[in-house]
Amino acid sequence: MRVASYLIVFFLLAAVSGCGSPSAEEQAEVTASAEDTSAMQLYKKNCMSCHGNDLSGRVGPSLQQAGSRLTEEQIGDIIKAGARGMPGYEKSLKTEEIAQLATWLSAKKE
């Protein structure tokens, strides 16, 4: 499914930009956009009920500025093992999915 998302975004970008191959910069933007979308889907499925639709927090703390407080590695460790009442997701998420979420949340600095 993830590959399909990349392909859809790639072909849409190619159609909008006309014929020819996208530049390396355009390809990087497409990849980043697809990764963000994938991470957001993971967040919605696994995290949103406790951390809120806009990352502002509910039962769990706000994650809006998670990257300002924690490193990507620390965020990944918390997702994996849990912390302060949060369950760990090591058994329910793949290593790659935990890494995606950690990368995405570590970029949240504002």
Side-chain angles (χ1 to χ4, degrees), residues 47-73:
C47 314
M48 189 170 71
S49 62
C50 292
H51 294 285
N53 186 37
D54 61 354
L55 288 85
S56 63
R58 283 187 173 162
V59 176
S62 170
L63 300 176
Q64 290 178 337
Q65 296 179 354
S68 296
R69 298 184 309 267
L70 302 166
T71 66
E72 184 175 333
E73 183 179 346

Side-chain angles (χ1 to χ4, degrees), residues 10-110:
F10 174 77
F11 285 114
L12 286 173
L13 181 62
V16 171
S17 64
C19 295
S21 300
S23 69
E25 184 177 301
E26 290 171 327
Q27 287 177 340
E29 287 177 19
V30 169
T31 301
S33 176
E35 288 172 359
D36 281 350
T37 300
S38 181
M40 284 189 296
Q41 290 172 345
L42 286 168
Y43 176 83
K44 287 178 182 179
K45 182 178 178 184
N46 298 283
C47 314
M48 189 170 71
S49 62
C50 292
H51 294 285
N53 186 37
D54 61 354
L55 288 85
S56 63
R58 283 187 173 162
V59 176
S62 170
L63 300 176
Q64 290 178 337
Q65 296 179 354
S68 296
R69 298 184 309 267
L70 302 166
T71 66
E72 184 175 333
E73 183 179 346
Q74 290 170 322
I75 293 169
D77 289 344
I78 291 170
I79 295 168
K80 186 176 180 180
R84 291 170 275 189
M86 177 182 146
Y89 285 83
E90 181 176 31
K91 293 181 181 177
S92 58
L93 291 175
K94 297 176 185 173
T95 302
E96 299 82 25
E97 293 172 327
I98 292 172
Q100 271 186 315
L101 279 169
T103 300
W104 183 68
L105 288 169
S106 69
K108 306 297 180 200
K109 297 184 181 193
E110 294 180 18

